Amino acid sequence: MATHRLLFVCLGNICRSPLAEGVFGHLAAEAGVADRFELDSAGTGSWHVGDPPDARARRAAAARGIDISGQRARQVGPADFDRFDLILAMDRSNAEVLWRLAGRLGEDHAAKVRLFMEFAPETGVGEVPDPYYGGAAGFERVIDLIGEAAHGLLAHRLAGESKD
Ligand code: 4NP
């Protein structure tokens, strides 16, 4: 059976991408397909390496029955382009950093980088906004958007399996 290796990437790896990893994992578990996915998250920046997710992100996840408190931030690196088959950027600025990194690696890794919100076209929203300098409402908006994209991505990946 196919294993899907998915990496979620934002700037700090303490707000959006830990939520994306947690929400996607929760949906996959609910669908009984968690064993088909290898999930992780990382940041393009290094300021928060080793930190747990932001308390506001932990609270927004916990309110939906999702525990992300065990995650620790790390920075994305070249090895991630070998390890993962899809790298999901939360916003365009994250995607651009990843495309530049992929370009330096010399292989066709850039095609692995996609904007996460591409998987929720019905929202009309292209990026998950950075909630770091806002309040709790921003985190509710972020987790809602992430939920939409996670649903779309899970359906897309499971549909693709029948073509393996
Ligand atoms: P994230 O949010 O990229 O969703 O984890 C941020 C976290 C930290 C910072 C910026 C955004 N920061 O500037 O430290």
Side-chain angles (χ1 to χ4, degrees):
M1 184 150 321
T3 300
H4 305 267
R5 297 182 183 83
L6 311 181
L7 180 67
F8 301 93
V9 175
C10 61
L11 179 58
N13 193 210
I14 54 168
C15 299
R16 291 166 292 176
S17 59
L19 282 169
E21 179 187 341
V23 168
F24 189 93
H26 185 75
L27 287 179
E30 275 185 343
V33 295
D35 58 341
R36 293 187 221 168
F37 291 90
E38 183 183 321
L39 306 176
D40 198 5
S41 69
T44 58
S46 61
W47 311 281
H48 295 282
V49 168
D51 290 353
D54 186 282
R56 297 163 296 175
R58 294 202 306 266
R59 276 196 292 275
R64 298 178 191 213
I66 303 169
D67 181 7
I68 62 168
S69 62
Q71 295 187 38
R72 293 295 176 268
R74 71 174 181 88
Q75 190 173 24
V76 71
D80 288 315
F81 286 88
D82 292 321
R83 184 173 150 212
F84 294 96
D85 50 66
L86 186 59
I87 301 181
L88 297 141
M90 296 299 120
D91 65 29
R92 286 191 186 84
S93 135
N94 308 148
E96 274 157 22
V97 171
L98 293 165
W99 281 320
R100 272 202 301 279
L101 183 55
R104 285 207 298 275
L105 298 176
E107 289 172 54
D108 189 24
H109 284 320
K112 292 184 173 181
V113 178
R114 305 274 297 271
L115 278 168
F116 187 40
M117 288 310 298
E118 276 180 41
F119 293 92
E122 73 283 358
T123 62
V125 176
E127 307 178 280
V128 182
D130 183 344
Y132 190 63
Y133 292 104
F139 280 81
E140 286 304 303
R141 167 88 174 138
V142 158
I143 199 169
D144 284 343
L145 288 172
I146 283 171
E148 298 288 336
H151 266 289
L153 175 59
L154 180 61
H156 181 269
R157 282 273 139 172
L158 295 180
E161 280 186 357
S162 55
K163 297 186 217 110
D164 286 349

